[in-house]
Amino acid sequence: MAKKNEKINWEYAPAPESTGHVNLKEQYDLFIDGKWVKPDSGKYFDSTNPANKKKLASVAHANEKDVDKAVKAARKAYTNIWSKMEPSERAKYIYRIARLMQERAREFAVIESLDAGKVIRESRDVDVPLACNHFFYYAGWADKLEYAFPNREVSSLGVAGQIIPWNFPLLMAAWKIAPALATGNTVVLKPAETTSLTALKLAEIIEESGLPAGVVNIVTGYGDTGAAIVNHEDVDKIAFTGSTAVGKIIQKAIAGTHKKSTLELGGKSANIILDDAPLDQAVEGIVNGIFFNQGHVCCAGSRLFVQESVADQVIEKLKHRMNSLIVGDPLDKNTDIGAINSKEQLDVINSYLKIGQAEGATMYQADCAVPSSGYYCRPTLFTDVAQSSRIVQEEIFGPVLTIQTFRTVDEVIQKANNTPYGLAAGVWTDKGSRIFNLTTKLRAGVVWANTYNKFDPTSPFGGYKESGFGREGGLHGLEAYVKLN
Amino acid sequence: MARLEVLKTYKIYIGGKFPRTESGRYYSPKNAKGEALGNICLSSRKDVRNAVVAARKAFGGWSERAAFNRGQILYRIGEMLEGRKAQFIEELQLQGATKAKAEKEVAVAIDRLIYYAGWCDKVSQVSGGVNPVASSHFNFSVNEPMGVVGVAADQSTSLIGLVSQIAPVIAAGNSCVVIAAEELPLCSITFAEVLNSSDVPGGVVNILTGSLDEMLKPMATHMDVNAIVYTGNDAETLNSIQEFAVENLKRVRHYPQDWMDAKAQGLHYITDVMELKTTWHPIENIGGATSSY
């Protein structure tokens, strides 16, 4: 038994997930036409672990010629095989991919955490299972498309070019590939340059599944690789998830072409706490809303609105809760906040911390320890901000929350909607009628009431206004990949 | 002495009022026989902006009307159009249609309004629904109007294109700014008079006559317009709309079809100008009781 005067140590013992079962090659080539091929330029770049800056593998940098090769392979597979296949057979291939992913879920989760800096608790419990489920869900749609679009003739588009971000690397690959395949299209996918590894592991699974060569092609690289996909004449559809600025460049590039597009872009989502909300739950929701995945979430609840009468209480509870968050090794099962994805992103976040202070806002950071190597950012909140502050208007994409107060429901609706974005919103109140008043008036594609950051393959996701267009997930997610007559 | 006929002054329609263009300009389109159709307002950029302001102001109220009420109002537009059939037939004939064609066009236009009137309170049941998420949440998706929609009306018809494009936009709960057919403008303003006597709140539909080329840019670049609907086959025009639309990511909808076709109507013309909102709420699930009693 502990002696009476002995100080109790509340520190958690480290509980790191083992990396022993992970199988990573030293070098990854491009996955084109069912084969691993060297990049035309012979160039490779390093994929590193942002938690300790160590190299994980080198990855091929695809240029225009490689992209052209991939698009040609996708076209050939589309014309000769995939568009002719019985939809029910198509479904079985997609089901098979889902199952193979499930079998290797643990390996995927660990690689995702290594490559992206994401905490293992999230990659294991959120990213990977959702990614598998997405394939499983869309597989079932393949032979039921006529039920999704009654009174219309449904056909596939052809070759889909898909460009995905670094915040949910495997999950975004699943969100893009699964509906595209279910609707009978073939795919050229480019993962983000800092997080290519799980997409390449997915390519291994696709190879293993026996999916016909060329149906899915994975080309790794930087923005120039993405641009080559966007500008390729034989691509019928561009699906992009990323920043609003790049989304606009893409939209401009494909204006006047036959290419169809869906864009899932930035956000600055409002999370609204009303005076009758269950405050402890709401505080958990605020934490989940902004600190989930280090705040690298397009729908992050980055603008907190608290009703004036409970503001002091909420902010006090929130600070208390922030101080108990553990920032550190993404592979440790106790960690709440992992590493910032890259040095570039850490620089962006730090520049916004400076901007916020220069604008006169009051900054508060959790007093937690942060590892000395690697890219980390303490959970941060700003009070004394104005609606016009840059940190309130612009997407930071990090663990940085701004707090504003309000008196009436009408006031908060106005303030919440006063943004060019419209991706998501959160509402916390005990009263059903208040929930529905707010949820119907908030101009956002996803509204979470008394919860936040929940995702499901059956649930359509996507934004209003400059947060992009088109939906991913659910029946509505099919529309992005079909031609309707 | 024979009675002198009173001629109609064609105006534009902004915020439920009939001003002349603020620019004071006009143009005089002619029919195939060379007869002048009248002095028509050559609306300006400023008229476009005024119309967008009026449309934005009207959007909140219109979008929050009960869907059933919107349906009744669309039906009312149909009723009013039916009552003024003769005037439209006359105008269509003056603009070059045969009597039979003119009668057909007005009939199709009326029926189309009635068709969309019926959709108003059915869209969300057909297009939205409950999503069976795996976690303990109630999750549903509903369509919501986009906001202010810019309509570049069919340039090859005077009435049917206009009606076929406006009806789904307002059935969805949007407000709109419409650029009428440049060379066939008569029915657009007469249709505004129909709207004005049909319980459609001022500003929900705003109609401008004049040059499509001139007004397209201020409309498609306007930061407070959420979507553009374009009918026509001009690749250059479509391309420029798509480029103009980028800055605030307007949704661009292109309908190249013949609006006289009976099939040129459907639910998707409505949902194309709607967003989809998905709402989540937790379901309390703390005990062990089940519904299997």
Side-chain angles (χ1 to χ4, degrees):
Chain A
M1 250 182 87
K3 278 187 237 157
K4 255 189 182 171
N5 293 334
E6 200 178 49
K7 202 179 164 206
I8 300 167
N9 181 8
W10 288 105
E11 296 291 308
Y12 286 79
E17 173 73 38
S18 145
T19 56
H21 59 289
V22 164
N23 193 357
L24 273 179
K25 288 191 273 189
E26 264 175 41
Q27 178 176 301
Y28 281 93
D29 292 324
L30 306 168
F31 185 66
I32 297 175
D33 207 8
K35 291 182 281 291
W36 294 91
V37 298
K38 301 223 170 297
D40 170 69
S41 64
K43 282 185 193 153
Y44 292 82
F45 59 92
D46 291 347
S47 202
T48 56
N49 179 348
N52 58 22
K53 305 183 191 175
K54 282 186 189 145
K55 179 180 164 182
L56 294 165
S58 57
V59 175
H61 185 163
N63 65 13
E64 264 180 48
K65 283 184 190 161
D66 300 310
V67 167
D68 182 55
K69 212 189 277 177
V71 173
K72 281 190 174 128
R75 173 64 59 192
K76 193 181 72 189
Y78 175 75
T79 312
N80 298 343
I81 304 166
W82 199 242
S83 64
K84 289 184 182 157
M85 190 182 286
E86 278 296 317
S88 54
E89 291 298 296
R90 226 160 58 206
K92 279 153 59 183
Y93 277 109
I94 308 169
Y95 277 125
R96 195 186 270 193
I97 293 169
R99 277 294 194 238
L100 287 166
M101 284 172 78
Q102 286 173 334
E103 286 166 13
R104 287 169 67 173
R106 181 171 167 194
E107 188 185 9
F108 269 108
V110 173
I111 295 175
E112 199 73 307
S113 283
L114 286 170
D115 201 22
K118 187 185 281 286
V119 296
I120 188 72
R121 213 157 34 86
E122 291 172 8
S123 47
R124 182 193 64 199
D125 298 346
V126 182
D127 292 60
V128 175
L130 273 177
C132 304
N133 297 355
H134 226 80
F135 277 100
F136 201 90
Y137 171 78
Y138 274 109
W141 268 122
D143 55 359
K144 302 168 191 73
L145 296 176
E146 64 276 18
Y147 292 92
F149 305 102
N151 259 342
R152 322 248 0 230
E153 268 170 52
V154 190
S155 50
S156 52
L157 295 170
V159 177
Q162 307 181 316
I163 300 163
I164 59 171
W166 44 259
N167 57 343
F168 294 95
L170 180 69
L171 182 58
M172 290 301 109
W175 278 29
K176 296 281 180 287
I177 296 173
L181 295 188
T183 45
N185 303 281
T186 56
V187 164
V188 176
L189 176 115
K190 186 196 96 69
E193 62 269 20
T194 60
T195 55
S196 308
L197 298 183
T198 44
L200 292 162
K201 293 302 283 185
L202 179 59
E204 289 178 2
I205 277 185
I206 285 168
E207 202 179 5
E208 196 185 327
S209 74
L211 189 76
V215 172
V216 173
N217 304 275
I218 311 267
V219 289
T220 44
Y222 284 77
D224 59 327
T225 315
I229 296 175
V230 169
N231 295 321
H232 197 290
E233 279 187 2
D234 205 30
V235 169
D236 300 295
K237 149 96 195 174
I238 300 294
F240 172 74
T241 296
S243 72
T244 293
V246 175
K248 288 179 183 178
I249 292 169
I250 291 175
Q251 206 51 24
K252 203 154 235 171
I254 64 171
T257 70
H258 73 292
K259 288 172 198 164
K260 206 174 156 168
S261 66
T262 39
L263 305 174
E264 205 271 89
L265 308 175
K268 193 77 187 175
S269 299
N271 200 1
I272 300 168
I273 318 294
L274 290 142
D275 56 6
D276 65 339
L279 295 185
D280 290 323
Q281 280 177 39
V283 166
E284 287 308 307
I286 296 166
V287 167
N288 176 39
I290 186 61
F291 302 129
F292 176 60
N293 200 34
Q294 297 71 250
H296 301 328
V297 183
C298 47
C299 51
S302 51
R303 287 187 298 149
L304 180 67
F305 291 93
V306 191
Q307 199 153 19
E308 219 171 75
S309 51
V310 292
D312 290 344
Q313 209 186 338
V314 168
I315 292 168
E316 197 195 308
K317 280 175 185 280
L318 179 59
K319 286 179 176 171
H320 180 73
R321 180 70 181 91
M322 278 165 72
N323 286 330
S324 68
L325 293 172
I326 299 170
V327 181
D329 180 7
L331 283 180
D332 192 315
K333 289 163 205 155
N334 295 321
T335 303
D336 296 302
I337 299 181
I340 299 301
N341 187 269
S342 64
K343 180 173 185 304
E344 288 71 23
Q345 187 55 28
L346 184 59
D347 290 345
V348 168
I349 296 167
N350 284 332
S351 77
Y352 274 108
L353 298 186
K354 283 197 189 117
I355 290 166
Q357 289 168 291
E359 281 179 321
T362 308
M363 184 168 91
Y364 176 83
Q365 290 191 307
D367 59 1
C368 55
V370 164
S372 51
S373 79
Y375 313 122
Y376 290 94
C377 179
R378 286 192 174 85
T380 304
L381 61 84
F382 279 101
T383 48
D384 305 316
V385 297
Q387 185 73 11
S388 58
S389 304
R390 281 185 64 192
I391 52 169
V392 170
Q393 287 292 325
E394 297 172 20
E395 183 174 43
I396 299 172
F397 225 63
V400 182
L401 178 70
T402 64
I403 305 182
Q404 292 169 272
T405 59
F406 65 94
R407 288 187 180 173
T408 66
V409 168
D410 281 352
E411 180 191 350
V412 79
I413 291 169
Q414 297 270 349
K415 282 181 169 170
N417 284 339
N418 183 1
T419 163
Y421 294 115
L423 191 51
V427 178
W428 297 81
T429 164
D430 232 7
K431 204 170 167 192
S433 58
R434 266 181 148 183
I435 289 175
F436 286 114
N437 179 34
L438 275 153
T439 55
T440 47
K441 285 181 180 160
L442 292 168
R443 305 286 291 161
V446 184
V447 184
W448 288 289
N450 292 329
T451 184
Y452 208 97
N453 273 342
K454 293 284 180 287
F455 308 94
D456 193 275
T458 66
S459 178
F461 183 91
Y464 285 25
K465 301 194 278 185
E466 291 185 36
S467 289
F469 42 71
R471 292 292 177 268
E472 293 181 291
L475 179 155
H476 298 86
L478 294 166
E479 196 179 337
Y481 293 98
V482 292
K483 192 157 54 190
L484 299 169
N485 286 309
Chain B
M1 240 172 86
R3 182 182 169 273
L4 182 67
E5 193 187 356
V6 179
L7 294 175
K8 173 170 165 176
T9 307
Y10 283 92
K11 300 193 186 181
I12 53 179
Y13 187 50
I14 299 177
K17 299 204 160 49
F18 291 92
R20 296 280 296 172
T21 164
E22 63 78 39
S23 68
R25 303 176 307 169
Y26 71 98
Y27 70 114
S28 309
K30 294 184 173 57
N31 66 14
K33 289 184 209 151
E35 296 161 342
L37 298 176
N39 292 326
I40 306 297
C41 288
L42 186 63
S43 307
S44 65
R45 286 190 297 192
K46 182 74 166 76
D47 291 317
V48 172
R49 292 186 196 135
N50 291 344
V52 173
V53 170
R56 175 59 63 189
K57 210 171 145 195
F59 170 64
W62 181 243
S63 64
E64 286 174 21
R65 289 283 178 112
F68 181 76
N69 182 239
R70 278 205 302 273
Q72 285 183 304
I73 292 174
L74 260 87
Y75 186 82
R76 181 78 177 154
I77 305 172
E79 285 181 350
M80 291 295 111
L81 188 54
E82 182 84 43
R84 293 176 63 166
K85 248 191 321 204
Q87 189 180 357
F88 283 93
I89 292 167
E90 203 176 290
E91 281 177 349
L92 287 168
Q93 284 180 277
L94 181 60
Q95 293 176 115
T98 62
K99 184 145 194 281
K101 269 200 165 161
E103 280 169 351
K104 179 88 204 289
E105 184 167 341
V106 176
V108 174
I110 296 166
D111 291 353
R112 191 141 294 160
L113 283 161
I114 305 305
Y115 172 79
Y116 282 112
W119 262 125
C120 294
D121 55 2
K122 294 161 192 76
V123 174
S124 53
Q125 276 180 325
V126 179
S127 175
V130 172
N131 309 309
V133 295
S135 55
S136 182
H137 291 89
F138 184 69
N139 173 304
F140 60 96
S141 295
V142 287
N143 287 94
E144 286 189 347
M146 279 178 176
V148 175
V149 178
V151 175
D154 180 19
Q155 296 289 307
S156 65
T157 59
S158 188
L159 180 67
I160 187 61
L162 186 88
V163 168
S164 303
Q165 287 174 269
I166 293 174
V169 166
I170 62 174
N174 298 291
S175 58
C176 59
V177 175
V178 184
I179 301 173
E182 189 169 343
E183 297 303 321
L184 304 166
L186 299 189
C187 294
S188 68
I189 295 308
T190 310
F191 186 65
E193 293 159 15
V194 166
L195 292 168
N196 198 47
S197 54
S198 306
D199 301 328
V200 181
V204 170
V205 181
N206 304 276
I207 301 179
L208 305 173
T209 52
S211 159
L212 178 63
D213 277 352
E214 186 185 350
M215 287 187 281
L216 203 51
K217 188 170 179 189
M219 185 163 84
T221 54
H222 199 297
M223 293 298 278
D224 209 19
V225 172
N226 299 87
I228 299 282
V229 175
Y230 169 64
T231 289
N233 280 316
D234 187 43
E236 215 173 291
T237 306
L238 179 61
N239 186 3
S240 54
I241 291 174
Q242 287 169 336
E243 281 183 12
F244 293 149
V246 170
E247 204 40 57
N248 68 339
L249 294 173
K250 282 180 195 69
R251 288 70 167 129
V252 177
R253 306 292 180 239
H254 176 222
Y255 303 123
Q257 59 266 61
D258 171 12
W259 292 109
M260 286 297 288
D261 188 339
K263 283 191 207 142
Q265 58 185 26
L267 174 63
H268 62 283
Y269 293 102
I270 303 175
T271 52
D272 275 359
V273 282
M274 297 187 90
E275 297 288 350
L276 188 77
K277 176 184 279 179
T278 300
T279 306
W280 293 69
H281 197 279
I283 298 171
E284 190 175 72
N285 195 0
I286 46 179
T290 68
S291 53
S292 56
Y293 54 85

